[in-house]
Amino acid sequence: VETWVMTVILVLSGTSMSGAGGNASMLRLLRLLRLSRLARMLRSMPELMIMIKGIVAALRTVGFTILLQVILMYIFAIMFRQLTNDTEIGDRFFRTILVSMYTLLLN
């Protein structure tokens, strides 16, 4: 059961969120059943599990690649900030390091 559905049910039943007691525990049980249904689906489709494992394995490589790109962009932003100091282009596109990184990324 989605969170907003649970809120509507609790408001309509007249109970508060903190003192929901039995109703809230019943809804938590329904959420647990929904989660177990998802686990059963993953076991019945091993191809989906292989794809999920592949995505998780690729996350580390993608993360390091993004980190390397950010480091290189930072170095070039510093370089362009220094090289274009007191020029029209420098005042327009490379005023600060953050503006320089933005310019290098999106322009």
Side-chain angles (χ1 to χ4, degrees):
V1 177
E2 298 296 327
T3 306
W4 65 273
V5 174
M6 185 173 129
T7 305
V8 170
I9 290 172
L10 289 175
V11 168
L12 291 177
S13 68
T15 58
S16 67
M17 292 295 273
S18 61
N23 289 338
S25 63
M26 181 62 109
L27 291 175
R28 286 188 195 112
L29 182 63
L30 288 173
R31 279 188 184 173
L32 185 63
L33 288 173
R34 188 170 132 197
L35 187 64
S36 69
R37 188 176 67 202
L38 177 69
R40 238 180 325 173
M41 183 186 72
L42 288 176
R43 265 189 265 123
S44 67
M45 291 187 259
E47 297 87 5
L48 183 60
M49 200 62 196
I50 290 170
M51 288 178 63
I52 291 173
K53 286 180 183 179
I55 290 171
V56 169
L59 280 177
R60 182 175 178 190
T61 305
V62 171
F64 281 125
T65 304
I66 290 172
L67 179 66
L68 180 63
Q69 287 180 340
V70 168
I71 290 169
L72 284 173
M73 191 172 23
Y74 181 70
I75 291 169
F76 276 93
I78 292 171
M79 187 175 67
F80 279 121
R81 174 69 190 113
Q82 293 295 320
L83 290 174
T84 61
N85 197 16
D86 296 329
T87 63
E88 182 182 333
I89 292 175
D91 292 338
R92 183 172 176 195
F93 294 112
F94 303 108
R95 283 176 282 148
T96 64
I97 300 297
L98 286 176
V99 172
S100 300
M101 290 177 72
Y102 177 81
T103 301
L104 292 172
L105 181 65
L106 297 177
N107 285 346

